[in-house]
Amino acid sequence: MIIHATNVHQGGGRTLLDALLGQAPGGPVTALLDSRMALAQGVAQGIDIVRVKPTPMARLSAERWLAANTGSDDVVLCFGNLPPLFKLRGWVRVFLQNRYLIDKTPLANFSLKSRVRISIERRWLSGCVGHVDEFIVQTPTMKRLLDEKTHGQPPAHVLPFVTDKQHYSRGIGAGATARTACQGRFVYVSSGEPHKNHRTLMKAWCLLADEGLFPSLQVTLDATRFADLCGEIDVMRARHGLHVRNLGHVPHSEIRALYADADALIFPSTLESFGLPLIEARQAGLPVLASELDYVRDVLDPEAAFDPYSPYSIARAVKRFCGNQEPSLPLLDASEFMNYIVKKGRLSCES
């Protein structure tokens, strides 16, 4: 078996790759890994590790190595979304977890560097799809999008893959951690890419502050990678007195502790291939407020759902969850409405 993961070193992909390397099957295994991919002690025992620098020439050399060293009886798992650049003699499975590569979502909000990278990877995927024997995705939504792009050839199979599958259910079940009444403590475990939708979430928190409501929110943004976003959050926090705290990058081993101190996970992302924090929050018995989108319903039924493009919808969902109901509309009947119109007309004539 050959695990080809030369472009994985952070985020959910790194978490899953770590777990995979700890469960190597019998027989010889070789893993081509990004040189920045740090491995926990004891992980990848018995695996031949080949380190690849994150440069175009090094990646190209790795693709050539893969073509030269893959035999007809070998199984190749491409774990970084992309097919092999060259046709291989073995059986090739591609684990596809980047929705941007198969969705038509515009890239206008990304940096120039990210737009160029994603555009190149989209062309790579389209041009080399014939080098794949099987795609593996994690949700029905991803399979549907991929099948629309490839017309079902090669076949795609849904194999949801997590580090630990214990205590997972669509709703909060009997094994969930007991929770006290909502104290307005929310957490959003996420990086800061545009689709993670932090700006809309912060607008919702500003709307709540305008109503005199100040729920707390913890986010996990790398202040170096997402400096502009972190700066905007600091401005909003100061201007509106928001109870928002950026914890910076949090190691995966410490995420569960964040869930233990929160009343709910809020997840306003507009686009996901899986949404690993949704699974992990549910496993921790944490209520979930999330976007009313297909990727969410693929994996769980949230305790509250909202329109992720509307800060008003997000704010209302937070209020409902915390027991602050919206007042009913002051409805009038036809007689009362006509009386208002006539009264306004008389006042206007008298003035």
Side-chain angles (χ1 to χ4, degrees), residues 84-235:
L85 191 58
F86 306 105
K87 183 70 174 177
L88 306 182
R89 293 186 294 273
W91 185 266
V92 177
R93 291 184 169 100
V94 173
F95 183 62
L96 180 59
Q97 53 180 334
N98 186 342
R99 184 165 166 175
Y100 277 109
L101 301 188
I102 56 174
D103 209 337
K104 297 179 181 178
T105 305
L107 305 177
N109 291 328
F110 280 87
S111 66
L112 177 60
K113 179 180 178 180
S114 294
R115 292 201 302 271
V116 170
R117 176 180 57 79
I118 295 173
S119 297
I120 291 173
E121 290 180 349
R122 283 176 172 177
R123 290 179 177 273
W124 184 327
L125 177 61
S126 297
C128 298
V129 71
H131 301 168
V132 181
D133 296 294
E134 178 187 0
F135 279 106
I136 297 173
V137 295
Q138 292 185 281
T139 64
T141 297
M142 283 290 288
K143 174 176 168 54
R144 184 177 68 252
L145 291 170
L146 181 57
D147 285 345
E148 289 173 358
K149 182 177 181 65
T150 65
H151 305 288
Q153 293 298 325
H157 294 104
V158 180
L159 296 176
F161 163 43
V162 295
T163 57
D164 180 4
K165 67 178 185 179
Q166 298 298 313
H167 308 303
Y168 164 69
S169 63
R170 292 197 64 86
I172 295 184
T177 304
R179 298 277 168 179
T180 58
C182 176
Q183 300 177 41
R185 301 173 303 172
F186 294 86
V187 62
Y188 184 24
V189 176
S190 169
S191 55
E193 287 82 5
H195 67 276
K196 297 299 186 179
N197 208 21
H198 283 85
R199 290 178 174 86
T200 305
L201 178 62
M202 294 306 302
K203 289 177 182 177
W205 246 246
C206 292
L207 291 173
L208 292 169
D210 291 343
E211 296 185 40
L213 301 173
F214 296 90
S216 68
L217 173 65
Q218 295 191 109
V219 296
T220 57
L221 295 170
D222 187 316
T224 300
R225 288 183 61 206
F226 306 106
D228 290 346
L229 176 59
C230 290
E232 291 179 35
I233 291 175
D234 288 340
V235 171

Side-chain angles (χ1 to χ4, degrees), residues 3-21 31-39 50-54 59 77-82 95-98 117 121 161:
I3 301 173
H4 187 48
T6 58
N7 59 345
V8 178
H9 73 282
Q10 61 186 7
R14 172 179 175 171
T15 299
L16 295 180
L17 181 57
D18 258 334
L20 191 71
L21 294 173
L32 284 75
L33 303 180
D34 191 310
S35 59
R36 297 166 295 180
M37 174 72 188
L39 299 177
V50 177
R51 291 291 187 174
V52 179
K53 294 182 179 180
R59 295 275 173 83
L77 174 61
C78 296
F79 202 76
N81 301 298
L82 298 173
F95 183 62
L96 180 59
Q97 53 180 334
N98 186 342
R117 176 180 57 79
E121 290 180 349
F161 163 43

Side-chain angles (χ1 to χ4, degrees), residues 70-82:
T70 301
S72 58
D73 294 331
D74 292 338
V75 173
V76 178
L77 174 61
C78 296
F79 202 76
N81 301 298
L82 298 173

